[in-house]
Amino acid sequence: MRKHTHLLVGMVAVAALVLPAASLAQSDCGDLNNDGSTTQLDLIRLTQCSLGGGTCPAVSPGPLCGTGSLGDCGDVFADGNTTTGLTADVSALNNQLSGNPTLYDACTGPGAAIACGGGTVTIPHNTVISSNTTWPAGCRVELSGTVTVEGDGTVLAIEPGGFVCGINDPAEPAALVITPGNRIDARGTAADPIVFTACAAPGSDPFSTGTRQGAWGGVLVLGRGPVNGPGCTATAEGLEEFVFGGCVDNDHSGIVSFASVKFGGINFTANNELNNFTMNGLGNSTQFNFIHAHSGNDDNHEWFGGNSNHTNFLATSGGDDNADFQLGFTGSVQNYVVLQDSRTADPGSDSRGIEGDNSEFDNEASPRSDPDFCNMTIVGADDQAPAATNDGSDSGILLRRGTRAQIMNVLVQDFRDSGFEIRDVSTTQQACIDNDDDGVPESLTGDLLVQNSLFCDNGSSGPGSIGTEHAKSGGNQEDECATTSDCVGPGDPAACCTGAGTGCSATPVDPDCECTTPEAYALMVASHDVAPADGATSAECTAAAGDIVSSVFPTTLDAAVNSACTGVQTPYECCSGAGTGFCTTMPDFRPTVAIASVSAGDCTDINPLFTDTGYVGGVDPAGTYVASGTGQQVDWITFPWAQFNIE
């Protein structure tokens, strides 16, 4: 929650105002001097009121706010405080006059709380929220279908500790949708997080391969930020009646913090599904941080365009990808942890840590996807039991369809197919430069770049061995880009290969191809502090027997937490009844060995909004770790915000 510093100064004299009551008319919001308009002069007067602790100087023509009462036009932040809290009002009026987007329109604040008799309220299918509304803490809000926030500047506020769940009905899929021009105010805290989940009560087996996964639609926030679709717009995946985008760089879709979104992602038809937490065209005034997306049926976090910037994201147990972007996403995330789960990753679905596209409709569409990621831990499911289900664990990082990206201080481990993959010619052009078109790139462009990052145990090794396939060309890239010198055997790596060093030609089949993934990766190893070389194992990976970070998904029930349960999903989402639950211990995302093969890069080198952490991975290796109890923690990941129950 935003904190405001109070300025303590001496009292300022105020002129006495004595007018007949009938002549007093309240002025418009922010018009302190009552001259019929809100200007910089009013901002000066409000600042003086703030310095006076709510006591204001005389104004002209006056009277103050038309009535003599500061509360009638000076509560611009709409928090009901026009004495000690005026710095918030000064900031809000300054934003209004500067044209900067704000969470609430001037002199409006959170709407009235909905009635919640008995502690539960059900919101019907196709409900439209068109005026500021509050869903209070202590109220279980059940969505029986799609609920939308519409209008112009409508804000849905959810108080810290709020609980929202979707009723499982494929005919009327439950989802919360914030439409463009409207906002969500869901500011939880570490102690009182906001939960979005499925209403379905847990069953008897807490680890029954995700029976609640995809039980509702999840949360979709649609903004007016930049998108590389026609007219700077696009339609929402899964709910195609909603259009988003508009190229408003500083658009504001709201504030979400310390929230978890679980068990979302209904599939409507093939390749048309909802995700757990979907961010469509968010502008850079949007503030979404500390968001845990867990056990989504499709992607956990997904961006469709936008330029929003985030910190402290956690994605676990996703059915498909854990972090997915496309349609011109140019935002950023720092401090990001991804952990796959073999029991919930879709078999054969190519589930990835990061899957990044520019656009499947036009690889060269503008603005081109070009996000920044710094400090990530991305752990796949290749070494998890049961091994038979792990073929869903594909690539740690897949970049394709013309995207760019800057990726720094990342640890990628335990992906069955590969650690890193570039796919298609358009994306190779963002990564490499092959000036003489001989199929051997001379350098990297710097537009698509992984640096200061460590890869461990990737490739189809399975439990008990250490994989070394850190880089792999995907799709038909090898057939387009391979030359004779790349051939190692018949059909390997390209169809044109007839044997080792034979077949194909001296130049790539597609002359526009700039490099293969192994070639790009080798250049990153040589010049940008990436380790180890493809086909090799780092000293850290060897010392940790393939698990620099523990790859075991938490399945140990935490008796101390479960005994505190008072009912189904109360007080924790992982509770199944009084004194029982499926709450697990906290996994440890800290490296088990010191990382020395690569050095940490300065994240501010790729994005000035980042901070320089001085370490590789998504959590501080020296961060606090508490495995069990209600004080569970691993660095910035804390209970009850982060819960890992699978049922």
Side-chain angles (χ1 to χ4, degrees):
M1 178 174 290
R2 185 180 301 161
K3 302 188 188 309
H4 304 283
T5 304
H6 307 307
L7 305 176
L8 303 177
V9 297
M11 299 295 290
V12 179
V14 58
L17 301 171
V18 182
L19 292 173
S23 69
L24 301 181
Q26 181 176 328
S27 62
D28 292 334
C29 173
D31 182 13
L32 270 72
N33 61 15
N34 196 31
D35 66 354
S37 61
T38 303
T39 67
Q40 290 293 329
L41 184 58
D42 295 295
L43 179 61
I44 293 171
R45 294 291 177 264
L46 187 58
T47 302
Q48 292 171 330
C49 296
S50 177
L51 294 173
T55 302
C56 302
V59 297
S60 177
L64 181 73
C65 291
T67 63
S69 173
L70 179 61
D72 286 335
C73 78
D75 189 13
V76 186
F77 189 66
D79 60 358
N81 188 345
T82 54
T83 55
T84 59
L86 278 170
T87 51
D89 301 292
V90 171
S91 177
L93 185 57
N94 181 58
N95 282 325
Q96 177 189 346
L97 293 172
S98 303
N100 298 326
T102 56
L103 178 60
Y104 290 95
D105 291 342
C107 292
T108 67
I114 58 172
C116 191
T120 299
V121 62
T122 300
I123 311 294
H125 180 51
N126 287 335
T127 291
V128 174
I129 299 172
S130 57
S131 61
N132 289 6
T133 301
T134 297
W135 291 350
C139 180
R140 179 184 174 96
V141 179
E142 298 188 345
L143 311 182
S144 65
T146 301
V147 175
T148 59
V149 178
E150 302 183 22
D152 185 13
T154 302
V155 181
L156 171 64
I158 304 172
E159 292 181 346
F163 187 95
V164 181
C165 64
I167 296 173
N168 188 357
D169 184 353
E172 296 179 348
L176 177 61
V177 182
I178 314 298
T179 62
N182 304 289
R183 298 180 283 278
I184 182 172
D185 179 7
R187 287 175 280 179
T189 67
D192 289 303
I194 293 170
V195 175
F196 300 91
T197 188
C199 293
S204 59
D205 180 2
F207 308 114
S208 58
T209 322
T211 56
R212 284 198 292 161
Q213 191 179 41
W216 71 300
V219 178
L220 298 85
V221 183
L222 289 71
R224 299 178 297 189
V227 178
N228 64 19
C232 206
T233 63
T235 57
E237 183 181 50
L239 295 172
E240 296 183 351
E241 65 269 31
F242 294 104
V243 177
F244 63 91
C247 282
V248 181
D249 281 348
N250 67 345
D251 191 47
H252 196 334
S253 291
I255 303 176
V256 178
S257 58
F258 286 104
S260 63
V261 187
K262 296 184 173 186
F263 308 119
I266 286 180
N267 287 323
F268 293 104
T269 58
N271 298 316
N272 183 36
E273 61 277 308
L274 297 180
N275 303 289
N276 228 356
F277 189 74
T278 308
M279 295 160 280
N280 298 275
L282 302 186
N284 59 27
S285 295
T286 304
Q287 301 170 45
F288 289 177
N289 306 304
F290 286 92
I291 298 176
H292 180 197
H294 177 69
S295 200
N297 193 45
D298 189 41
D299 302 323
N300 264 332
H301 297 120
E302 180 152 18
W303 293 265
F304 291 89
N307 60 355
S308 53
N309 302 293
H310 312 274
T311 64
N312 303 89
F313 270 25
L314 175 62
T316 54
S317 192
D320 192 18
D321 308 313
N322 280 283
D324 192 331
F325 66 84
Q326 57 180 300
L327 297 185
F329 176 55
T330 57
S332 65
V333 187
Q334 184 174 23
N335 302 328
Y336 204 155
V337 171
V338 169
L339 177 61
Q340 282 191 330
D341 185 345
S342 65
R343 297 160 300 179
T344 58
D346 295 335
S349 71
D350 296 334
S351 300
R352 289 136 186 160
I354 296 176
E355 179 180 283
D357 298 351
N358 182 39
S359 172
E360 63 182 293
F361 309 106
D362 178 4
N363 290 177
E364 308 305 319
S366 180
R368 190 184 296 273
S369 290
D370 189 9
D372 303 324
F373 296 96
C374 200
N375 291 115
M376 289 190 71
T377 295
I378 309 175
V379 180
D382 186 40
D383 280 357
Q384 295 174 2
T389 65
N390 294 355
D391 65 344
S393 182
D394 188 64
S395 296
I397 302 172
L398 168 67
L399 303 176
R400 63 183 185 182
R401 295 170 175 167
T403 192
R404 295 174 177 174
Q406 296 290 317
I407 301 173
M408 177 183 278
N409 292 349
V410 176
L411 172 61
V412 181
Q413 174 188 297
D414 289 332
F415 282 85
R416 173 161 291 194
D417 193 55
S418 64
F420 177 62
E421 178 181 333
I422 297 174
R423 186 174 292 182
D424 60 62
V425 168
S426 176
T427 312
T428 72
Q429 295 173 338
Q430 312 312 313
C432 304
I433 299 173
D434 181 12
N435 286 318
D436 55 8
D437 295 326
D438 65 349
V440 181
E442 293 84 21
S443 62
L444 297 165
T445 65
D447 294 328
L448 186 162
L449 186 62
V450 178
Q451 54 189 316
N452 305 94
S453 296
L454 185 63
F455 291 74
C456 173
D457 195 10
N458 297 294
S460 54
S461 61
S465 60
I466 299 178
T468 62
E469 192 171 16
H470 307 301
K472 179 179 181 179
S473 295
N476 60 350
Q477 188 197 70
E478 288 290 6
D479 291 333
E480 295 169 330
C481 301
T483 63
T484 299
S485 61
D486 295 316
C487 293
V488 296
D492 185 11
C496 57
C497 294
T498 57
T502 62
C504 299
S505 62
T507 59
V509 172
D510 188 331
D512 291 328
C513 183
E514 297 296 309
C515 59
T516 63
T517 303
E519 289 168 340
Y521 183 84
L523 289 171
M524 295 172 190
V525 170
S527 60
H528 286 84
D529 210 2
V530 172
D534 192 29
T537 304
S538 69
E540 298 92 335
C541 195
T542 299
D547 275 351
I548 294 177
V549 172
S550 173
S551 63
V552 177
F553 202 91
T555 59
T556 301
L557 298 182
D558 191 336
V561 175
N562 291 315
S563 64
C565 292
T566 58
V568 174
Q569 298 177 316
T570 307
Y572 311 123
E573 200 280 338
C574 51
C575 291
S576 58
T580 64
F582 303 140
C583 308
T584 67
T585 56
M586 176 70 71
D588 191 354
F589 297 110
R590 301 173 305 167
T592 59
V593 295
I595 293 177
S597 295
V598 299
S599 59
D602 183 345
C603 297
T604 64
D605 289 344
I606 64 173
N607 192 313
L609 297 177
F610 289 161
T611 59
D612 181 12
T613 63
Y615 56 79
V616 174
V619 300
D620 187 343
T624 299
Y625 177 63
V626 178
S628 62
T630 55
Q632 289 181 21
Q633 177 183 1
V634 53
D635 195 22
W636 52 267
I637 301 170
T638 58
F639 182 89
W641 167 58
Q643 300 173 38
F644 301 91
N645 51 309
I646 302 304
E647 166 60 38

Coordinates of all heavy atoms in Angstrom, one line a residue, residues 140-141 143 163-167 195-200 212 215-216 218-219 260-264 276 569 573 645:
R140 N -16.7 -14.2 1.4 CA -16.3 -15.2 0.3 C -17.1 -14.8 -0.9 O -18.4 -15.0 -0.9 CB -16.7 -16.6 0.8 CG -16.4 -17.7 -0.2 CD -16.8 -19.1 0.3 NE -16.7 -20.1 -0.6 CZ -15.7 -21.0 -0.7 NH1 -14.7 -20.8 0.2 NH2 -15.6 -21.9 -1.6
V141 N -16.5 -14.3 -1.9 CA -17.1 -13.9 -3.2 C -17.1 -15.0 -4.2 O -16.0 -15.3 -4.6 CB -16.5 -12.6 -3.7 CG1 -17.2 -12.2 -5.0 CG2 -16.6 -11.5 -2.7
L143 N -18.0 -16.5 -7.8 CA -18.4 -16.1 -9.2 C -19.1 -17.2 -9.9 O -18.4 -18.3 -10.1 CB -17.2 -15.6 -10.0 CG -16.2 -14.6 -9.3 CD1 -15.1 -14.2 -10.3 CD2 -17.0 -13.4 -8.9
F163 N -11.2 -13.0 -0.5 CA -11.3 -14.3 -1.1 C -12.3 -14.3 -2.2 O -13.5 -14.1 -2.0 CB -11.6 -15.3 0.0 CG -11.5 -16.8 -0.4 CD1 -10.4 -17.5 -0.1 CD2 -12.6 -17.4 -1.1 CE1 -10.3 -18.8 -0.5 CE2 -12.5 -18.7 -1.5 CZ -11.4 -19.4 -1.2
V164 N -11.8 -14.7 -3.4 CA -12.7 -14.7 -4.6 C -12.5 -16.1 -5.2 O -11.4 -16.5 -5.4 CB -12.3 -13.6 -5.6 CG1 -13.2 -13.7 -6.8 CG2 -12.4 -12.2 -4.9
C165 N -13.6 -16.8 -5.5 CA -13.5 -18.1 -6.2 C -14.5 -18.2 -7.3 O -15.6 -17.6 -7.3 CB -13.7 -19.2 -5.2 SG -15.3 -19.3 -4.4
G166 N -14.1 -19.0 -8.3 CA -14.9 -19.3 -9.4 C -15.6 -20.6 -9.3 O -15.0 -21.6 -9.0
I167 N -16.9 -20.7 -9.6 CA -17.7 -21.9 -9.6 C -17.5 -22.7 -10.9 O -17.5 -22.1 -12.0 CB -19.2 -21.6 -9.4 CG1 -19.4 -21.0 -8.0 CG2 -20.0 -22.9 -9.5 CD1 -20.8 -20.5 -7.7
V195 N -6.8 -13.9 -2.4 CA -6.8 -15.2 -3.1 C -7.9 -15.2 -4.1 O -9.0 -14.8 -3.9 CB -7.1 -16.3 -2.0 CG1 -7.2 -17.6 -2.7 CG2 -6.0 -16.4 -1.0
F196 N -7.5 -15.6 -5.3 CA -8.4 -15.9 -6.4 C -8.2 -17.4 -6.7 O -7.1 -17.9 -7.1 CB -8.1 -15.1 -7.7 CG -8.1 -13.6 -7.5 CD1 -7.0 -12.9 -7.2 CD2 -9.3 -12.9 -7.7 CE1 -7.0 -11.5 -7.0 CE2 -9.3 -11.5 -7.6 CZ -8.2 -10.8 -7.2
T197 N -9.3 -18.2 -6.6 CA -9.2 -19.6 -6.7 C -10.5 -20.3 -7.2 O -11.4 -19.6 -7.5 CB -8.7 -20.2 -5.4 OG1 -8.4 -21.6 -5.6 CG2 -9.8 -20.1 -4.3
A198 N -10.5 -21.6 -7.3 CA -11.7 -22.3 -7.6 C -12.5 -22.6 -6.3 O -11.9 -22.8 -5.3 CB -11.3 -23.7 -8.2
C199 N -13.8 -22.5 -6.5 CA -14.7 -22.7 -5.3 C -14.7 -24.1 -4.9 O -15.0 -24.4 -3.7 CB -16.1 -22.2 -5.6 SG -16.3 -20.4 -5.8
A200 N -14.5 -25.0 -5.8 CA -14.6 -26.4 -5.5 C -13.7 -26.8 -4.3 O -12.6 -26.5 -4.2 CB -14.1 -27.3 -6.7
R212 N -8.4 -30.0 -9.6 CA -9.1 -28.7 -9.7 C -8.4 -27.8 -10.7 O -8.9 -26.7 -11.0 CB -9.0 -28.0 -8.3 CG -10.0 -28.6 -7.3 CD -10.3 -27.6 -6.2 NE -9.1 -27.5 -5.3 CZ -8.9 -26.5 -4.5 NH1 -9.8 -25.5 -4.4 NH2 -7.8 -26.5 -3.7
A215 N -10.4 -25.4 -13.2 CA -11.8 -25.5 -12.7 C -12.5 -24.1 -12.9 O -13.8 -24.1 -12.7 CB -11.8 -25.9 -11.2
W216 N -11.8 -23.1 -13.2 CA -12.5 -21.8 -13.5 C -11.6 -21.0 -14.5 O -10.6 -21.5 -14.9 CB -12.8 -21.0 -12.2 CG -11.6 -20.4 -11.6 CD1 -10.5 -21.1 -11.0 CD2 -11.4 -19.0 -11.3 NE1 -9.7 -20.2 -10.5 CE2 -10.2 -18.9 -10.6 CE3 -12.2 -17.9 -11.5 CZ2 -9.7 -17.7 -10.2 CZ3 -11.7 -16.6 -11.1 CH2 -10.4 -16.6 -10.4
G218 N -10.1 -17.9 -14.2 CA -9.0 -17.1 -13.8 C -9.3 -15.6 -13.9 O -10.5 -15.2 -14.0
V219 N -8.3 -14.8 -13.8 CA -8.4 -13.3 -13.8 C -7.8 -12.8 -15.1 O -6.7 -13.1 -15.5 CB -7.6 -12.7 -12.6 CG1 -7.7 -11.2 -12.7 CG2 -8.2 -13.3 -11.3
S260 N -2.7 -14.3 -5.0 CA -2.4 -15.6 -5.6 C -3.6 -15.9 -6.5 O -4.8 -15.6 -6.2 CB -2.2 -16.7 -4.6 OG -3.4 -16.9 -3.8
V261 N -3.3 -16.5 -7.7 CA -4.4 -16.9 -8.6 C -4.2 -18.4 -8.9 O -3.1 -18.8 -9.4 CB -4.3 -16.1 -9.9 CG1 -5.5 -16.5 -10.8 CG2 -4.3 -14.6 -9.6
K262 N -5.2 -19.2 -8.6 CA -5.0 -20.7 -8.6 C -6.1 -21.4 -9.4 O -7.2 -21.0 -9.4 CB -5.0 -21.3 -7.2 CG -3.9 -20.8 -6.3 CD -4.0 -21.5 -4.9 CE -2.8 -21.2 -4.1 NZ -2.7 -21.9 -2.8
F263 N -5.7 -22.5 -10.1 CA -6.6 -23.5 -10.7 C -7.4 -22.9 -11.8 O -8.5 -23.4 -12.1 CB -7.5 -24.1 -9.6 CG -6.7 -24.7 -8.4 CD1 -6.9 -24.2 -7.1 CD2 -5.8 -25.7 -8.6 CE1 -6.2 -24.7 -6.1 CE2 -5.1 -26.2 -7.5 CZ -5.3 -25.7 -6.3
G264 N -7.0 -21.8 -12.4 CA -7.7 -21.2 -13.6 C -7.3 -21.9 -14.9 O -6.5 -22.9 -14.9
N276 N -4.3 -18.6 -16.2 CA -4.5 -18.3 -14.8 C -4.6 -16.8 -14.5 O -5.6 -16.3 -14.0 CB -3.3 -18.9 -14.0 CG -3.8 -19.7 -12.8 OD1 -5.0 -19.8 -12.5 ND2 -2.8 -20.3 -12.1
Q569 N -10.9 -24.1 3.0 CA -10.3 -23.0 2.5 C -10.2 -21.8 3.5 O -10.1 -20.6 3.1 CB -11.0 -22.5 1.2 CG -10.9 -23.5 0.1 CD -11.6 -23.2 -1.2 OE1 -12.8 -22.7 -1.1 NE2 -11.0 -23.4 -2.3
E573 N -6.2 -21.1 1.8 CA -6.8 -21.8 0.7 C -6.5 -23.3 0.7 O -7.3 -24.1 0.2 CB -6.2 -21.1 -0.6 CG -7.1 -21.4 -1.8 CD -6.9 -22.7 -2.5 OE1 -5.8 -23.3 -2.2 OE2 -7.8 -23.2 -3.2
N645 N -0.4 -26.2 -2.6 CA -1.3 -27.4 -2.7 C -1.7 -27.7 -4.1 O -2.1 -26.8 -4.8 CB -2.5 -27.2 -1.8 CG -3.2 -25.9 -2.0 OD1 -2.6 -24.9 -2.0 ND2 -4.5 -26.0 -2.2

